[in-house]
Amino acid sequence: MAKEVTRRSENYSQWYNDLVVKADLAEQSAVRGCMVIKPYGYAIWEKMQHILDGMFKKTGVKNAYFPLFIPKSFLSREAEHVEGFAKECAVVTHHRLMTNPDGPGVVVDPTAKLEEELVVRPTSETIIWSTYKNWIHSWRDLPVLCNQWCNVVRWEMRTRLFLRTAEFLWQEGHTAHATAEEAYQEAERMVHVYADFARNVMAMPVVVGHKSPGERFAGALDTLTIEALMQDGKALQAGTSHFLGQNFAKSFDVQFTNKEGKQEYVWASSWGVSTRLMGALIMAHGDDNGLVLPPALAPIQVVMVPIYKTPEERAAILAKMDEVKKALEASGHSVEIDDRDTLRPGFKFAEWELKGVPVRLAIGPRDLEGGTVEVHRRDTLEKVVEPLEGLDARIAELLDAIQKNIYEKAMAFRDASVRKVDTWEEFKTEIEKGGFLLCHWDGTAETEAKIQEETKATIRCIPVDSYLCEEEGTCVYSGKPSHQRVLFARSY
Amino acid sequence: MAKEVTRRSENYSQWYNDLVVKADLAEQSAVRGCMVIKPYGYAIWEKMQHILDGMFKKTGVKNAYFPLFIPKSFLSREAEHVEGFAKECAVVTHHRLMTNPDGPGVVVDPTAKLEEELVVRPTSETIIWSTYKNWIHSWRDLPVLCNQWCNVVRWEMRTRLFLRTAEFLWQEGHTAHATAEEAYQEAERMVHVYADFARNVMAMPVVVGHKSPGERFAGALDTLTIEALMQDGKALQAGTSHFLGQNFAKSFDVQFTNKEGKQEYVWASSWGVSTRLMGALIMAHGDDNGLVLPPALAPIQVVMVPIYKTPEERAAILAKMDEVKKALEASGHSVEIDDRDTLRPGFKFAEWELKGVPVRLAIGPRDLEGGTVEVHRRDTLEKVVEPLEGLDARIAELLDAIQKNIYEKAMAFRDASVRKVDTWEEFKTEIEKGGFLLCHWDGTAETEAKIQEETKATIRCIPVDSYLCEEEGTCVYSGKPSHQRVLFARSY
C-alpha cells in the first residue's frame, strides 16, 4: 500500500494528520496557518453546507453578505468583544504595493497608508450591527434573521488542519428581535439545529449545554454549545449559539419603536459552525485504515473496482458496471467507477478505504458469469458476495444501515466515556483516562480556573438535559454545595 | 408609492443606483468601497452560483479552497501579473492590536509586524500555482480542474455597487494541462459556458470574442470574454477566460514528466465571473418601474396579493391563495403570498414591480366567487383575468414565455445597436450614440490607444463568430490594411 496511515494507538495526533493529508482532504499552504482545502475535502464541506443551509432556511433564515473588513474602531465598541477578538487578528494598514526602489520585487507604498486600519473579520457582530442600524426602525422590521457563509481570520499561533487554522470557513447567523425571549429562543433553536445535524447527518453524538460564564463568547450573556467526544477521549466544541442580549444594539445604537410607540434597544443572537466540523467528522469515526464517512456526507457513496486480467474482461466488466452505476444514480446515490488501468485492485481497495467511501463493489470475470457482485462495507470491513439482481434496493438499505451503525458505534463509545465522579482524587485519576466527567461544581470562576490549572480539564458545558445534571451535591473541588452536575473534559 | 425610482431617460446612473438600493439588492457598508449584499440580492446571486456550479461540474471541474492571503513575494514572480495586480491591493502588515496606551480604543501592536507582508487575494493564480507544484508530478496527475467560490479584494478608487467594489464575490477556475491545446480548449469551453449562462439563464445576449493584447489579463497569452450591451449603450464585460500558457508554471516551477519520460512545464487556463453579473442583470432588463428578473433567476417567481375589505374576505382569499401556492410549489415554482395587513394593494403592486417578480397574481372577493384570478406579467406589464382552473400549467408556460421575451427584447435592442462603421468621421459621430461599432482595426496597440484617447471607446473584443468580422478592409483610424472587424464601444 502506497499511503500508510499511523495507527491511532501509536500516535493519535499523527494518525489524524495522516488522514487529513493522505485522504486528500486538506494541506498546509505557503501562508502560515492557512490551509488549502482539496477537492475531496471540499466536497464533504459542500455537502455539510448544503444540508445545513436547507435547515437554516426552513426556520426562516435568509443568506446575505457583509464586508470582509472591519474598521478598527468598531472592535472597541463592545468592551468584552474587543478583549476576545482584537488580540490576534490580521490588520490591513496599506492599500498599495510599489516597485522596490532599492532592489528586486515589490514593497509596501508608504504613501498608501489607510486613515483607519482595517481588521480582517474574526467574526462579524460589529460590522453587521452597524448595518442593522439602517435596517431596523420599527417593530415591523423585526425579526431580522440573516446568515452568511464566509471566511474568517483569527491569528492563531499554533494551528492544526481543520481544528485550528488562521483562516477558516464558516457560517455565522446574526438575528435581531423585539424581545429578550425571542432572541433567546432563536439561540436555543439554532443550537438544536446544530445538534440535529451532528447526530443525524454527521452520525456524531453531542451533548447540548450552556457554557460556564468564563467560557462564553466575548459579548454574550449566554452561550449554548454542542460538545462531541473524539476517540482519544478529548472533547471537541462543534458549534455554538449565543444570546447576546442588547450588548451589540447598545454599542451600535440600534433602537426600534415598539408597538406602544416607545424606543427600545434590539435583542440579538448569533450562532456558527465552521470547517472545524471536518476535524470532528474525521476524529469521531475514522479507524486505522482511514476515514469512515457517514453516507449522508460521503461525496462518493459507492465505488466500483473491476477485477480483470485481459482487456476483453476489462471491457465486459466495465460495461456491466456502467449499467449498475446508472441504476444506482437513478436512485439518487453518488457512484464512481475506478477504471484506472495502471493500479492493482488491492491498491485501489486500500485507497478507497483510506478515503472512507461507505460501500465498495467489486466485479470479476466469475461474478460476471454468475451474475454476482462482492459488496464491502467500510464501517465494519465486512465483505459478502450477492446477486446483482435487486442490488439497487439493497444498497439503499445498506447505506441507511451504515449511517445508523456509525452513529450507534460513536454513541456506545461516548456513553461508555461519561462517568459521574464525586471526589477530587477520583477526578484526577479519571481525567487521565479521557472522556466526559459529570461532576458537581460550586459555580465559581475561581474553582473552574483551579481545576483547569491542576488537570487541564475545562467545563465543556452545563447540559440542558436536566436529568443528567440537576441534583444536589457538593463541588468535586471545593466541597461547597452545588445544585447541578456539569460536564468536564480535556478538549481540542 | 413610497419608493420612487429615477427614470432612465432622466439619469441612467441614478436609476441604476435606485434599483440596487430600493429593490433591496445591496448597499454601501461602513467600509469604503465594500458593499453589503442584502438577502434579496444575495438570493439572486445564490441562484446564479447554483446554476453555474452545476454547469462547471458537468465539465469535470471540482471545487476547492485556497488561502485568502498571498505572500507579497508571490506577486512579483510573474512579471506582468505584478504590474496588473500589485498596485491597488489590501496589505496585511501586522497580526495584533493592543489597548491604546495613550487613550481610548485599540492600536496596532508595533511588535506584531509580519516578517513578510500578506496581500488579500486580488485573484489567486500565484497561490494556486504554488500549491499545484505539490500536486502535479506526472502526466497522470493531469488535468487538474479546480474552481473556488470566494471573495477577492482590489482597492478601487471609484466604486459602484456590484459593478466595481473593493471587495467582491466571484468564482475563479484554475486548470492545469499537459498540452497547450488542452489548456486552450479549456479556456474556450469555459467562455462558452459563460455565454450559455448569460443567454439562457440571465436572458442576456453576449458577444464572445478575444481581447486585444492590450486588454488581456495580466499574465495571459489570450483572454476570451463575453461582452454584453447595457440599455444606455455602454458595453459591460461580463466574464473572462484566459489561456495562460506556461507563464505561471514557469514562475512557480511546476513541471511534469510526460509520457515520453521528459520534464515539461504545465499549461494553464483560468476563468471567472463575479457579482458584477448582478449589475449586468439589472442594467440589461430593468425599466422605469424597477427590476425585471428573468424567471430562471427570480428568488420569487410568483407573488400573490389579496384584495379585500373585511377580515372575512381576507381569510377566505388567503385560504384560497394557500391552495394555489401549494399547487404551484409542487410544480417547482417559488411563490410568496404578501399577506401584510398594513399596506394597500397598490403599494404592494409597486413594490413587487420594483423587485422584478415575473408574475403577480391578485385575487379579490369577486374572483373568489367566480373562480378567477388576475394575472400580471412584469416584463410587459400586461394584466388579464383568467379562470383559476388550470392555472398551474399556464403559469409554467407564462414563466417560459417571459424568460424568452426578456431575452428577445434584449436581443432586439442589441442587434439594433451594432453598426458597421468605416470612416473615422462616422466613428466619432456614431460612438456618441452608444452601442457596438464593428470596425476595421490595424492591429496595433498605438491605434487602439489613440482611438481610446479621442473617443473613450475601447476594443471590447475580436468576435469569434467569424462571419461578423473576417473580411478585408482598412483600419477606421489609420487607414492601414486590416483582415477583420473588431467590436468597439464605451464600457463600464
Side-chain angles (χ1 to χ4, degrees):
Chain A
M1 190 181 148
K3 295 178 174 175
E4 248 180 271
V5 170
T6 307
R7 284 167 173 277
R8 283 166 294 179
S9 55
E10 232 173 83
N11 183 339
Y12 189 84
S13 167
Q14 187 57 46
W15 166 82
Y16 173 77
N17 239 22
D18 279 1
L19 257 54
V20 174
V21 172
K22 294 181 180 174
D24 284 332
L25 301 180
E27 62 185 37
Q28 297 291 356
S29 77
V31 183
R32 209 193 59 79
C34 293
M35 65 183 158
V36 171
I37 307 180
K38 299 180 79 172
Y40 192 63
Y42 199 83
I44 301 171
W45 175 242
E46 271 184 313
K47 285 210 149 193
M48 288 186 176
Q49 282 190 299
H50 180 73
I51 297 169
L52 275 169
D53 197 64
M55 293 169 85
F56 298 157
K57 283 179 177 156
K58 241 189 211 165
T59 72
V61 169
K62 291 183 176 176
N63 288 332
Y65 189 76
F66 299 88
L68 171 67
F69 299 125
I70 297 179
K72 190 189 67 180
S73 60
F74 278 28
L75 285 182
S76 319
R77 296 243 199 132
E78 213 286 330
E80 287 179 32
H81 199 67
V82 68
E83 278 304 305
F85 289 105
K87 288 185 179 151
E88 301 298 338
C89 57
V91 189
V92 177
T93 56
H94 291 74
H95 64 80
R96 195 183 302 133
L97 296 176
M98 55 183 255
T99 309
N100 186 357
D102 307 320
V106 283
V107 292
V108 174
D109 182 341
T111 68
K113 195 168 184 310
L114 294 176
E115 255 179 68
E116 179 178 2
E117 294 91 350
L118 298 171
V119 167
V120 179
R121 63 183 159 217
T123 180
S124 301
E125 276 77 7
T126 56
I127 189 84
I128 289 181
W129 279 88
S130 85
T131 307
Y132 281 179
K133 183 173 170 56
N134 307 322
W135 295 6
I136 300 168
H137 304 289
S138 136
W139 61 271
R140 287 188 196 84
D141 301 322
L142 295 170
V144 174
L145 309 173
C146 278
N147 175 61
Q148 74 175 346
W149 290 95
C150 64
N151 52 347
V152 283
V153 172
R154 299 177 186 177
W155 210 263
E156 303 285 353
M157 281 298 129
R158 295 174 61 180
T159 64
R160 292 195 67 187
L161 290 166
F162 289 126
L163 296 172
R164 195 176 292 279
T165 47
E167 182 193 17
F168 56 92
L169 303 184
W170 80 344
Q171 61 67 217
E172 46 180 327
H174 295 271
T175 71
H177 305 265
T179 66
E181 292 66 37
E182 271 183 49
Y184 189 81
Q185 278 163 14
E186 180 70 21
E188 264 191 325
R189 180 179 303 122
M190 299 319 294
V191 84
H192 286 292
V193 164
Y194 291 155
D196 179 10
F197 176 80
R199 291 166 185 152
N200 298 312
V201 180
M202 296 178 66
M204 183 174 78
V206 289
V207 178
V208 178
H210 302 268
K211 284 285 177 192
S212 62
E215 296 274 332
R216 277 179 199 145
F217 175 77
L221 300 191
D222 193 3
T223 287
L224 289 152
T225 178
I226 54 171
E227 298 285 324
L229 189 67
M230 303 295 100
Q231 292 179 60
D232 61 347
K234 282 167 81 173
L236 187 144
Q237 175 181 307
T240 49
S241 184
H242 318 290
F243 170 59
L244 302 172
Q246 295 173 311
N247 285 348
F248 288 93
K250 284 180 179 163
S251 304
F252 290 89
D253 190 30
V254 188
Q255 299 189 54
F256 72 105
T257 313
N258 67 17
K259 286 189 185 176
E260 288 74 44
K262 278 192 193 159
Q263 289 290 99
E264 265 190 83
Y265 284 108
V266 177
W267 298 85
S269 93
S270 71
W271 28 273
V273 295
S274 74
T275 36
R276 190 165 217 233
L277 288 181
M278 295 287 296
L281 188 73
I282 297 160
M283 288 203 288
H285 306 308
D287 65 21
D288 289 346
N289 295 330
L291 291 178
V292 175
L293 294 178
L297 290 175
I300 303 169
Q301 294 174 313
V302 179
V303 69
M304 293 195 269
V305 178
I307 318 282
Y308 55 86
K309 287 209 179 96
T310 68
E312 293 72 31
E313 283 174 2
R314 179 170 194 265
I317 291 167
L318 287 178
K320 172 56 78 180
M321 286 189 156
D322 241 21
E323 261 177 52
V324 176
K325 182 172 189 251
K326 284 204 180 89
L328 288 171
E329 284 177 343
S331 324
H333 301 122
S334 52
V335 184
E336 195 157 307
I337 299 174
D338 186 349
D339 61 359
R340 289 175 294 175
D341 201 17
T342 50
L343 302 170
R344 285 171 300 103
F347 182 95
K348 292 181 181 179
F349 288 179
E351 182 168 311
W352 295 114
E353 277 176 32
L354 175 56
K355 291 198 161 186
V357 174
V359 175
R360 183 178 79 222
L361 304 178
I363 298 183
R366 228 175 288 171
D367 294 308
L368 204 58
E369 240 170 67
T372 57
V373 56
E374 186 187 271
V375 180
H376 174 272
R377 54 187 281 188
R378 176 64 185 89
D379 59 334
T380 59
L381 301 174
E382 285 164 356
K383 218 158 51 176
V384 286
V385 175
E386 295 183 11
L388 264 170
E389 182 82 35
L391 180 69
D392 190 20
R394 289 200 312 279
I395 290 289
E397 281 168 27
L398 181 58
L399 289 171
D400 284 349
I402 292 173
Q403 180 83 26
K404 199 161 163 262
N405 180 53
I406 294 177
Y407 180 66
E408 281 169 1
K409 201 176 154 193
M411 186 60 126
F413 173 77
R414 205 274 307 268
D415 283 349
S417 309
V418 183
R419 286 102 68 202
K420 289 194 177 180
V421 164
D422 291 313
T423 71
W424 184 237
E425 280 313 303
E426 204 189 347
F427 188 102
K428 285 189 289 185
T429 318
E430 289 299 315
I431 202 69
E432 293 300 327
K433 302 176 190 164
F436 283 134
L437 304 187
L438 265 176
C439 309
H440 281 282
W441 165 55
D442 63 19
T444 68
E446 197 193 346
T447 297
E448 194 181 6
K450 283 269 167 61
I451 292 176
Q452 180 170 6
E453 209 181 293
E454 294 187 30
T455 65
K456 289 185 192 148
T458 50
I459 299 175
R460 301 317 305 155
C461 69
I462 303 156
V464 295
D465 288 338
S466 56
Y467 74 92
L468 271 178
C469 58
E470 276 184 23
E471 72 179 29
E472 297 299 311
T474 56
C475 176
V476 72
Y477 187 82
S478 68
K480 289 183 191 156
S482 148
H483 313 294
Q484 67 195 348
R485 286 178 187 271
V486 301
L487 209 60
F488 277 95
R490 288 179 181 157
S491 78
Y492 280 92
Chain B
M1 190 180 146
K3 294 178 175 176
E4 248 179 272
V5 170
T6 308
R7 284 167 172 277
R8 283 166 294 179
S9 55
E10 231 173 81
N11 184 338
Y12 189 84
S13 167
Q14 186 57 46
W15 166 82
Y16 173 77
N17 240 19
D18 279 2
L19 256 55
V20 173
V21 172
K22 294 181 180 174
D24 284 332
L25 300 180
E27 62 184 37
Q28 297 291 356
S29 77
V31 183
R32 209 192 60 78
C34 293
M35 65 183 158
V36 171
I37 308 180
K38 298 179 80 173
Y40 192 63
Y42 199 82
I44 300 172
W45 175 243
E46 271 185 312
K47 285 210 150 195
M48 287 186 175
Q49 283 189 299
H50 179 73
I51 297 169
L52 275 169
D53 197 64
M55 292 170 86
F56 298 157
K57 284 179 177 157
K58 241 188 211 165
T59 73
V61 170
K62 291 182 176 175
N63 288 332
Y65 189 76
F66 299 88
L68 171 67
F69 299 125
I70 297 179
K72 189 189 68 181
S73 60
F74 278 27
L75 285 182
S76 320
R77 296 244 200 133
E78 213 287 330
E80 288 180 31
H81 199 67
V82 67
E83 277 305 305
F85 289 105
K87 286 186 180 149
E88 301 299 336
C89 56
V91 189
V92 177
T93 56
H94 291 75
H95 64 80
R96 194 183 304 131
L97 296 176
M98 56 183 255
T99 308
N100 186 356
D102 307 320
V106 283
V107 293
V108 174
D109 182 342
T111 68
K113 196 169 184 310
L114 294 176
E115 255 178 68
E116 179 179 3
E117 294 90 349
L118 298 171
V119 167
V120 179
R121 65 183 159 217
T123 181
S124 301
E125 276 76 7
T126 56
I127 189 83
I128 288 181
W129 278 87
S130 85
T131 307
Y132 281 179
K133 184 173 170 56
N134 307 322
W135 294 6
I136 301 168
H137 305 287
S138 138
W139 62 271
R140 287 187 197 85
D141 301 323
L142 295 170
V144 174
L145 309 172
C146 279
N147 175 61
Q148 74 174 346
W149 290 95
C150 65
N151 52 347
V152 283
V153 172
R154 299 178 186 176
W155 209 265
E156 303 284 352
M157 280 298 130
R158 296 174 61 180
T159 63
R160 292 195 67 188
L161 290 166
F162 289 125
L163 296 173
R164 195 176 292 278
T165 47
E167 181 192 17
F168 55 92
L169 303 184
W170 80 343
Q171 60 67 217
E172 46 181 327
H174 295 271
T175 71
H177 306 266
T179 67
E181 292 66 36
E182 272 183 50
Y184 189 80
Q185 278 162 14
E186 180 70 22
E188 264 191 325
R189 181 179 304 121
M190 299 320 294
V191 83
H192 286 292
V193 165
Y194 291 155
D196 179 10
F197 176 80
R199 290 166 185 152
N200 297 313
V201 180
M202 295 178 68
M204 182 174 79
V206 288
V207 178
V208 178
H210 303 267
K211 284 285 176 191
S212 62
E215 297 274 332
R216 276 179 199 146
F217 176 76
L221 300 190
D222 193 3
T223 288
L224 290 152
T225 178
I226 53 171
E227 298 284 326
L229 190 66
M230 303 294 101
Q231 293 180 60
D232 61 348
K234 281 167 83 172
L236 187 143
Q237 175 181 306
T240 50
S241 184
H242 317 291
F243 171 59
L244 303 172
Q246 295 173 312
N247 285 348
F248 287 93
K250 284 181 179 162
S251 303
F252 290 89
D253 191 30
V254 188
Q255 299 190 54
F256 72 104
T257 313
N258 67 17
K259 286 189 184 176
E260 288 75 43
K262 277 191 192 159
Q263 289 290 99
E264 265 190 84
Y265 285 107
V266 177
W267 298 85
S269 93
S270 71
W271 29 274
V273 295
S274 73
T275 35
R276 191 167 216 231
L277 288 180
M278 294 287 296
L281 188 73
I282 297 161
M283 287 203 288
H285 306 309
D287 65 21
D288 289 346
N289 295 331
L291 291 178
V292 175
L293 295 179
L297 290 175
I300 303 168
Q301 294 174 312
V302 179
V303 68
M304 292 195 269
V305 178
I307 319 282
Y308 56 86
K309 289 209 178 96
T310 67
E312 293 72 30
E313 283 174 1
R314 179 170 193 264
I317 290 167
L318 288 178
K320 171 56 78 180
M321 284 188 158
D322 241 21
E323 260 177 54
V324 176
K325 181 172 190 250
K326 285 204 180 89
L328 288 171
E329 283 176 345
S331 323
H333 301 123
S334 51
V335 184
E336 195 157 306
I337 299 175
D338 186 350
D339 61 359
R340 290 175 293 175
D341 200 18
T342 50
L343 301 170
R344 284 169 303 101
F347 181 95
K348 293 181 180 178
F349 287 180
E351 183 169 309
W352 294 114
E353 278 176 31
L354 175 56
K355 291 198 162 184
V357 174
V359 175
R360 183 178 78 222
L361 304 179
I363 298 183
R366 228 174 286 171
D367 294 307
L368 204 59
E369 240 169 66
T372 57
V373 57
E374 187 187 270
V375 180
H376 174 273
R377 54 187 280 187
R378 175 65 184 88
D379 59 334
T380 60
L381 302 173
E382 285 164 356
K383 218 157 54 176
V384 286
V385 175
E386 295 183 12
L388 265 171
E389 182 81 35
L391 181 70
D392 190 20
R394 291 201 311 280
I395 290 290
E397 281 168 28
L398 180 58
L399 290 171
D400 284 349
I402 292 174
Q403 180 82 25
K404 198 160 164 262
N405 179 55
I406 294 177
Y407 181 65
E408 282 169 0
K409 200 176 156 191
M411 186 60 127
F413 173 77
R414 204 276 306 268
D415 284 349
S417 310
V418 183
R419 286 102 68 201
K420 288 194 177 179
V421 164
D422 289 314
T423 70
W424 184 236
E425 280 314 303
E426 206 189 345
F427 188 103
K428 285 189 290 184
T429 319
E430 289 299 314
I431 203 70
E432 294 299 327
K433 301 176 190 163
F436 283 136
L437 303 187
L438 264 176
C439 309
H440 281 284
W441 164 56
D442 62 19
T444 69
E446 198 193 345
T447 297
E448 193 181 6
K450 282 270 166 61
I451 293 177
Q452 180 169 6
E453 208 181 294
E454 293 187 30
T455 65
K456 289 184 191 149
T458 50
I459 299 176
R460 301 317 305 155
C461 70
I462 303 155
V464 294
D465 288 338
S466 56
Y467 75 92
L468 271 177
C469 58
E470 275 184 24
E471 72 178 31
E472 297 301 310
T474 55
C475 176
V476 71
Y477 186 83
S478 68
K480 289 184 193 156
S482 148
H483 313 295
Q484 68 195 347
R485 286 179 187 270
V486 301
L487 209 60
F488 278 95
R490 288 178 181 158
S491 78
Y492 279 93

